[in-house]
Amino acid sequence: MARIVILGAGISGLTAAFEASASPHEIVLLEGSPQIGGKLRLATIAGHQVDVGAESMLARRPEALELLADLDVDPVHPASISASIWTRDALRPMPKGTLLGVPADASSMASLLTHAELDRARDERLVDVSGDLSIGELVESALGPAVVDRLVEPLLGGVYAGHARKLSAAATAPALLAAAQHQRLLTDAARSAAAKSGAVDGAAQPVFAGVRGGVGSLPKLLVRVLLDRGVTVRTGATARDIERAGRSWRVTLGETRSPEVIDADAIIIATPARATARLLTEVVPDAATALADIDYASMAIVTYAFRSTESAAFAGSSGFLVPPVDGRRIKASTFSSSKWPWLAEVAPEVTFARVSIGRHGEEADLQKSDAELAAAGMADLRAALGDGLPRPVAAHVQRWGGALPQYAVGHLDRIASVRADLAALPGLEVAGAAYEGVGIPACIGTGRKAAGAVLTHLAGH
Ligand SMILES: Cc1cc2nc3c(=O)[nH]c(=O)nc-3n(C[C@H](O)[C@H](O)[C@H](O)COP(=O)(O)OP(=O)(O)OC[C@H]3O[C@@H](n4cnc5c(N)ncnc54)[C@H](O)[C@@H]3O)c2cc1C
């Protein structure tokens, strides 16, 4: 029996531990912070447990749904209500059938664009690209800058808290880039993507899934299974160093003056890129440098609870996105109780809504106190929904420093070279949001893959 040590108990590390714990090996999961779950977290607001980190999972990829099935948890889906874009001082319907903001038909953007902007979008240009470029550049060259500013930016802002003109098209929108490389129109790519995601047997498949009790309840469910399977789960256990010890590994934890050393036959590092880079400095310096260069965006989520009797403004919509070009402080708002029927059911007396603040490179707002952030979020909500919005009965601020990795142009090459360097060190694997996707399903995928690779390696020992 070998010992597998997993560093970081976000969804990636938890999934790696879950997969590995089906084997006879000893599994040790070490989390640096006082709590497990990473970006999946619940907080008690107005007497109810509510997600204050990730809250929804893409259901068009299989990984999250498969994990729910493994845990015997039924997925729930958002109410079929639409979201809006808050731009040019009004809430405007989100165009349907877009692929990361690229419309299948430019006319669907009529409510967001001026006549001149719409004419430019309709006059779609063929683009000629060979390598990676930013998604902003790609869409701008085909459809004009306004489509980027009014639609692509807010959609990417919602996923990466980043900027369309910096994020890699190859990493964030491979289907669009592929279309561009085949000299086809981007709107064609959006149309075929929309068609693919459409009706199966006449019923549209839900795009997103959640969990009754919140996505933030998954870490606890996973830990319960891990403990049942005899896995050691420790919090407050920050890994400081890893080193090679013959054919095995050694992890050092704790203070420099009183270090604790754990021997491991295999290690999975499931921490954010900068922490992973520090741990890899001695063993794979080139990979460490490549990972250290991945920027992260910081952000805050402010969650409000309103009396339901006064909350008509949130009915019938799942929320809105905000283009940065409009100069607002918030970048999105989710009307949680409208979006998630289970939440309205368990907390009928209050209506939850949340806003997110902070984008990559624009963290000045996050210097404000919690009270100032909560007030700033309310000011924008009132501007969007009307002055009649009541005072919230509770507000909760969750800060996320180093929240989301930024997949800059060239990201795929960077990750390919990191993985190639690591391939020379069997028994050492990495997982997490920095690699093949920031969303929960992608993270679950990397955790599983890392566990699979480690088990294969140990089987050949
Ligand atoms: C506010 C917010 C909302 C989001 N919403 C969604 C959403 O709705 N849907 C979606 O799919 N995705 C969403 N995301 C993205 C997604 O939640 C994350 O990308 C994903 O949860 C990251 O998981 P992870 O395990 O890779 O990393 P993390 O969750 O960052 O976990 C890494 C863990 O490693 C620990 N750690 C760090 N250093 C060490 C060390 N040296 N030793 C031991 N432990 C260490 C950290 O404390 C942390 O717990 C959201 C992200 C944020 C920030």
Coordinates of all heavy atoms in Angstrom, one line a residue, residues 7-14 30-33 35-40 52-58 158-159 237-240 270-272 275 278-279 299-301 354 400 402-405 431-434 437-441 443 446, ligand 1:
L7 N -2.5 18.0 -2.1 CA -2.3 19.4 -1.5 C -3.4 20.3 -2.0 O -3.5 20.5 -3.2 CB -1.0 19.9 -1.8 CG 0.2 19.0 -1.4 CD1 1.5 19.6 -1.9 CD2 0.2 18.7 0.0
G8 N -4.2 20.8 -1.1 CA -5.3 21.7 -1.5 C -6.6 21.0 -1.6 O -6.8 20.0 -2.3
A9 N -7.6 21.5 -0.7 CA -8.9 20.8 -0.7 C -10.0 21.7 -1.3 O -11.1 21.8 -0.7 CB -9.3 20.4 0.7
G10 N -9.7 22.3 -2.4 CA -10.8 22.9 -3.3 C -11.4 21.7 -4.0 O -11.1 20.5 -3.7
I11 N -12.3 22.0 -5.0 CA -13.0 20.9 -5.6 C -12.1 20.0 -6.4 O -12.3 18.8 -6.5 CB -14.2 21.5 -6.6 CG1 -15.1 20.4 -7.0 CG2 -13.6 22.3 -7.8 CD1 -15.9 19.7 -6.0
S12 N -11.0 20.6 -6.9 CA -10.0 19.8 -7.6 C -9.3 18.7 -6.7 O -9.3 17.6 -7.1 CB -8.9 20.6 -8.3 OG -9.5 21.6 -9.1
G13 N -8.8 19.2 -5.6 CA -8.1 18.3 -4.7 C -9.1 17.3 -4.0 O -8.8 16.1 -3.9
L14 N -10.3 17.8 -3.7 CA -11.3 16.9 -3.2 C -11.7 15.8 -4.1 O -11.8 14.6 -3.8 CB -12.6 17.7 -2.8 CG -12.5 18.5 -1.5 CD1 -13.6 19.5 -1.5 CD2 -12.5 17.7 -0.3
L30 N -4.3 17.5 2.4 CA -3.9 18.6 3.3 C -4.4 19.9 2.7 O -4.1 20.3 1.6 CB -2.3 18.6 3.3 CG -1.6 17.4 3.8 CD1 -0.1 17.5 3.6 CD2 -2.0 17.1 5.3
E31 N -5.1 20.7 3.6 CA -5.6 22.0 3.2 C -5.0 23.1 4.0 O -4.9 22.9 5.3 CB -7.2 22.0 3.3 CG -7.8 23.4 3.3 CD -7.5 24.2 2.1 OE1 -7.6 23.6 1.0 OE2 -7.3 25.4 2.2
G32 N -4.5 24.1 3.4 CA -3.7 25.1 4.1 C -4.6 26.0 5.0 O -4.3 26.4 6.1
S33 N -5.8 26.4 4.5 CA -6.7 27.3 5.2 C -7.5 26.5 6.3 O -7.4 25.3 6.3 CB -7.7 27.9 4.2 OG -8.7 27.0 3.9
Q35 N -10.6 26.0 6.3 CA -11.7 25.3 5.9 C -11.5 24.7 4.5 O -10.8 25.2 3.7 CB -13.0 26.2 5.8 CG -12.9 27.5 5.1 CD -14.1 28.3 5.4 OE1 -15.2 27.9 5.4 NE2 -13.9 29.6 5.7
I36 N -12.2 23.6 4.3 CA -12.1 22.9 3.0 C -13.1 23.5 2.0 O -14.0 24.3 2.4 CB -12.5 21.4 3.1 CG1 -13.8 21.2 3.9 CG2 -11.4 20.6 3.8 CD1 -14.7 20.2 3.3
G37 N -12.9 23.3 0.7 CA -13.8 23.7 -0.3 C -13.3 24.8 -1.2 O -13.8 24.9 -2.3
G38 N -12.3 25.5 -0.8 CA -11.7 26.5 -1.7 C -12.8 27.5 -2.1 O -13.5 28.1 -1.3
K39 N -13.0 27.7 -3.4 CA -14.0 28.7 -3.9 C -15.4 28.2 -3.8 O -16.4 28.9 -4.2 CB -13.7 29.0 -5.4 CG -12.4 29.6 -5.8 CD -11.6 30.3 -4.8 CE -10.4 31.0 -5.3 NZ -9.1 30.2 -5.3
L40 N -15.6 27.0 -3.3 CA -17.0 26.6 -3.0 C -17.3 26.8 -1.5 O -16.6 26.2 -0.6 CB -17.2 25.1 -3.3 CG -17.5 24.7 -4.8 CD1 -16.5 25.3 -5.7 CD2 -17.6 23.2 -4.9
V52 N -21.6 31.7 -1.3 CA -21.0 33.0 -1.4 C -19.7 32.9 -2.3 O -18.9 33.8 -2.4 CB -20.6 33.5 0.0 CG1 -21.8 33.9 0.8 CG2 -19.7 32.6 0.8
G53 N -19.6 31.7 -2.9 CA -18.5 31.5 -3.9 C -19.2 31.0 -5.2 O -20.3 31.6 -5.6
A54 N -18.7 30.0 -5.8 CA -19.4 29.4 -7.0 C -20.8 29.0 -6.6 O -21.1 28.6 -5.5 CB -18.6 28.2 -7.5
E55 N -21.7 29.1 -7.6 CA -23.1 28.8 -7.3 C -23.8 27.9 -8.4 O -24.9 27.5 -8.2 CB -23.9 30.0 -7.0 CG -23.8 31.2 -8.0 CD -24.9 31.2 -9.0 OE1 -26.0 31.1 -8.7 OE2 -24.5 31.3 -10.2
S56 N -23.1 27.6 -9.4 CA -23.7 27.0 -10.5 C -22.7 26.2 -11.3 O -21.5 26.5 -11.3 CB -24.3 28.1 -11.4 OG -24.5 27.7 -12.7
M57 N -23.1 25.1 -12.0 CA -22.1 24.2 -12.7 C -22.6 24.0 -14.1 O -23.8 23.7 -14.3 CB -22.0 22.9 -12.0 CG -21.6 23.1 -10.5 SD -21.3 21.5 -9.7 CE -22.9 20.9 -9.5
L58 N -21.8 24.1 -15.1 CA -22.1 23.8 -16.5 C -22.6 22.4 -16.6 O -21.8 21.5 -16.2 CB -20.9 24.1 -17.4 CG -21.2 24.2 -18.8 CD1 -22.2 25.3 -19.2 CD2 -19.9 24.4 -19.6
G158 N -18.1 37.7 -16.3 CA -18.8 36.8 -15.4 C -18.0 35.5 -15.1 O -18.1 35.0 -14.0
V159 N -17.3 35.0 -16.1 CA -16.6 33.7 -15.9 C -15.2 33.9 -15.4 O -14.8 33.2 -14.5 CB -16.5 32.9 -17.3 CG1 -15.8 31.6 -17.1 CG2 -17.9 32.7 -17.9
A237 N -3.1 23.0 7.3 CA -1.9 22.3 7.0 C -1.3 22.8 5.6 O -1.6 22.2 4.6 CB -2.2 20.8 6.9
T238 N -0.6 23.9 5.7 CA -0.1 24.5 4.5 C 1.2 23.8 4.1 O 2.2 23.8 4.9 CB 0.2 26.0 4.7 OG1 -1.0 26.6 5.1 CG2 0.8 26.7 3.5
A239 N 1.3 23.3 2.9 CA 2.5 22.7 2.4 C 3.5 23.8 2.0 O 3.1 24.8 1.4 CB 2.2 21.8 1.2
R240 N 4.7 23.6 2.5 CA 5.7 24.7 2.2 C 6.7 24.3 1.2 O 7.3 25.1 0.4 CB 6.4 25.0 3.5 CG 6.5 26.4 3.9 CD 7.0 26.7 5.3 NE 7.4 25.7 6.2 CZ 8.7 25.3 6.3 NH1 9.6 25.7 5.4 NH2 9.0 24.4 7.2
A270 N -3.0 20.4 -5.9 CA -4.2 21.0 -6.4 C -4.5 22.4 -5.8 O -5.5 22.7 -5.3 CB -5.4 20.1 -6.1
T271 N -3.4 23.2 -5.8 CA -3.5 24.5 -5.2 C -3.5 25.5 -6.4 O -3.2 25.2 -7.5 CB -2.2 24.8 -4.3 OG1 -1.0 24.6 -5.1 CG2 -2.2 23.8 -3.1
P272 N -3.8 26.8 -6.1 CA -3.8 27.8 -7.2 C -2.3 27.9 -7.7 O -1.4 27.6 -7.0 CB -4.2 29.1 -6.5 CG -5.1 28.6 -5.3 CD -4.4 27.3 -4.9
A275 N 0.8 29.2 -5.6 CA 1.2 28.3 -4.6 C 1.9 27.0 -5.2 O 2.9 26.6 -4.7 CB 0.0 27.9 -3.7
R278 N 5.4 27.9 -6.2 CA 6.4 27.9 -5.0 C 6.8 26.5 -4.7 O 7.9 26.2 -4.4 CB 5.7 28.6 -3.8 CG 5.8 30.1 -3.9 CD 5.5 30.7 -2.5 NE 4.1 30.5 -2.1 CZ 3.1 31.3 -2.5 NH1 3.3 32.3 -3.3 NH2 1.9 31.0 -2.1
L279 N 5.8 25.6 -4.7 CA 6.1 24.2 -4.3 C 7.0 23.5 -5.3 O 7.7 22.5 -5.0 CB 4.8 23.4 -4.1 CG 4.0 23.9 -2.9 CD1 2.5 23.3 -2.9 CD2 4.6 23.4 -1.6
M299 N -11.7 39.4 -6.4 CA -13.1 39.9 -6.5 C -13.8 39.8 -5.1 O -13.2 39.2 -4.2 CB -13.9 39.2 -7.5 CG -14.0 37.7 -7.3 SD -14.6 36.9 -8.8 CE -16.3 37.3 -8.7
A300 N -15.0 40.4 -5.0 CA -15.8 40.2 -3.8 C -17.2 39.9 -4.3 O -17.7 40.4 -5.3 CB -15.8 41.5 -3.0
I301 N -17.8 39.1 -3.5 CA -19.3 38.8 -3.7 C -20.0 39.4 -2.5 O -19.7 39.1 -1.4 CB -19.6 37.3 -3.7 CG1 -18.8 36.6 -4.9 CG2 -21.1 37.0 -3.8 CD1 -19.3 36.8 -6.3
R354 N -27.2 38.7 -5.2 CA -25.8 39.0 -5.0 C -25.2 39.8 -6.1 O -25.7 39.7 -7.2 CB -25.0 37.7 -4.7 CG -24.9 36.8 -5.9 CD -24.2 35.5 -5.4 NE -23.3 35.0 -6.4 CZ -22.4 34.0 -6.1 NH1 -22.4 33.4 -4.9 NH2 -21.6 33.5 -7.0
W400 N -12.6 37.4 -2.3 CA -11.9 36.3 -2.9 C -10.6 36.9 -3.5 O -10.6 37.3 -4.6 CB -12.7 35.6 -4.0 CG -13.9 34.9 -3.5 CD1 -15.2 35.2 -3.6 CD2 -13.9 33.6 -2.8 NE1 -16.0 34.3 -3.0 CE2 -15.2 33.3 -2.5 CE3 -12.9 32.8 -2.4 CZ2 -15.6 32.1 -1.8 CZ3 -13.3 31.6 -1.7 CH2 -14.6 31.3 -1.4
G402 N -7.1 36.5 -5.2 CA -6.6 35.4 -6.1 C -7.7 34.5 -6.5 O -7.6 33.2 -6.4
A403 N -8.8 35.0 -7.0 CA -10.0 34.2 -7.3 C -10.0 33.4 -8.5 O -10.2 32.2 -8.5 CB -11.2 35.1 -7.3
L404 N -9.6 34.0 -9.6 CA -9.7 33.4 -10.9 C -8.5 33.6 -11.8 O -8.1 34.7 -12.0 CB -11.0 34.0 -11.7 CG -12.3 33.5 -11.1 CD1 -13.4 34.5 -11.4 CD2 -12.7 32.1 -11.6
P405 N -7.9 32.4 -12.2 CA -6.7 32.6 -13.1 C -7.1 33.2 -14.4 O -8.2 33.0 -15.0 CB -6.3 31.1 -13.3 CG -7.5 30.3 -13.0 CD -8.3 31.1 -12.0
A431 N -3.4 19.6 -10.5 CA -4.8 19.7 -10.8 C -5.3 21.1 -10.4 O -4.7 21.7 -9.6 CB -5.6 18.6 -10.1
G432 N -6.4 21.6 -11.0 CA -6.9 22.8 -10.6 C -7.4 23.8 -11.7 O -7.3 23.4 -12.9
A433 N -7.8 24.9 -11.3 CA -8.4 25.9 -12.2 C -7.4 26.5 -13.1 O -7.8 27.2 -14.1 CB -9.2 27.0 -11.4
A434 N -6.1 26.4 -12.8 CA -5.1 27.1 -13.7 C -4.9 26.4 -15.0 O -4.2 27.0 -15.8 CB -3.8 27.2 -12.9
G437 N -9.4 24.9 -17.6 CA -10.7 25.5 -17.5 C -10.9 25.9 -16.0 O -10.6 25.1 -15.1
V438 N -11.6 27.0 -15.8 CA -11.8 27.5 -14.5 C -13.1 27.0 -13.9 O -13.2 27.1 -12.6 CB -11.8 29.1 -14.4 CG1 -10.5 29.6 -14.9 CG2 -12.9 29.7 -15.1
G439 N -14.0 26.5 -14.7 CA -15.3 26.1 -14.2 C -15.2 24.8 -13.4 O -14.2 24.1 -13.5
I440 N -16.2 24.6 -12.5 CA -16.1 23.4 -11.6 C -16.0 22.1 -12.4 O -15.2 21.3 -12.0 CB -17.4 23.4 -10.7 CG1 -17.3 24.6 -9.8 CG2 -17.5 22.1 -10.0 CD1 -18.6 24.9 -9.0
P441 N -16.7 21.9 -13.5 CA -16.6 20.6 -14.2 C -15.1 20.4 -14.7 O -14.6 19.3 -14.6 CB -17.5 20.7 -15.4 CG -18.6 21.7 -15.0 CD -17.8 22.7 -14.1
C443 N -12.4 21.6 -13.4 CA -11.6 21.4 -12.2 C -11.8 19.9 -11.8 O -10.8 19.2 -11.4 CB -12.0 22.3 -11.1 SG -11.5 24.0 -11.4
T446 N -9.7 17.8 -14.0 CA -8.2 17.7 -13.7 C -8.0 16.9 -12.5 O -6.9 16.2 -12.4 CB -7.6 19.1 -13.5 OG1 -8.2 19.7 -12.4 CG2 -7.8 20.0 -14.7
Ligands
LIG1 C1 -16.6 34.1 -6.5 C2 -16.5 33.0 -7.5 C3 -17.6 32.5 -8.1 C4 -17.4 31.4 -9.0 N1 -18.5 30.9 -9.6 C5 -18.5 29.8 -10.3 C6 -19.6 29.1 -10.8 O1 -20.8 29.6 -10.5 N2 -19.5 28.0 -11.5 C7 -18.3 27.5 -11.9 O2 -18.2 26.5 -12.5 N3 -17.1 28.1 -11.4 C8 -17.2 29.2 -10.7 N4 -16.1 29.8 -10.2 C9 -14.8 29.1 -10.5 C10 -14.6 27.9 -9.6 O3 -15.3 28.0 -8.5 C11 -13.1 27.7 -9.3 O4 -12.3 27.8 -10.4 C12 -12.9 26.3 -8.7 O5 -13.7 26.1 -7.6 C13 -11.4 26.2 -8.3 O6 -11.2 25.0 -7.6 P1 -9.7 24.5 -7.3 O7 -9.9 23.3 -6.4 O8 -8.9 24.3 -8.5 O9 -9.1 25.7 -6.5 P2 -9.5 26.4 -5.1 O10 -10.9 26.4 -4.9 O11 -8.7 27.7 -5.1 O12 -8.8 25.4 -4.0 C14 -7.4 25.4 -3.8 C15 -7.2 25.1 -2.3 O13 -5.8 25.0 -2.0 C16 -5.5 25.6 -0.8 N5 -4.1 25.9 -0.7 C17 -3.4 26.9 -1.3 N6 -2.1 26.8 -1.0 C18 -1.9 25.7 -0.3 C19 -0.8 25.0 0.3 N7 0.5 25.5 0.1 N8 -1.0 23.9 1.0 C20 -2.2 23.4 1.2 N9 -3.3 23.9 0.7 C21 -3.2 25.1 -0.1 C22 -6.4 26.8 -0.7 O14 -6.6 27.2 0.6 C23 -7.7 26.2 -1.4 O15 -8.6 25.7 -0.4 C24 -16.2 30.9 -9.3 C25 -15.0 31.4 -8.7 C26 -15.2 32.4 -7.8 C27 -14.0 33.0 -7.1

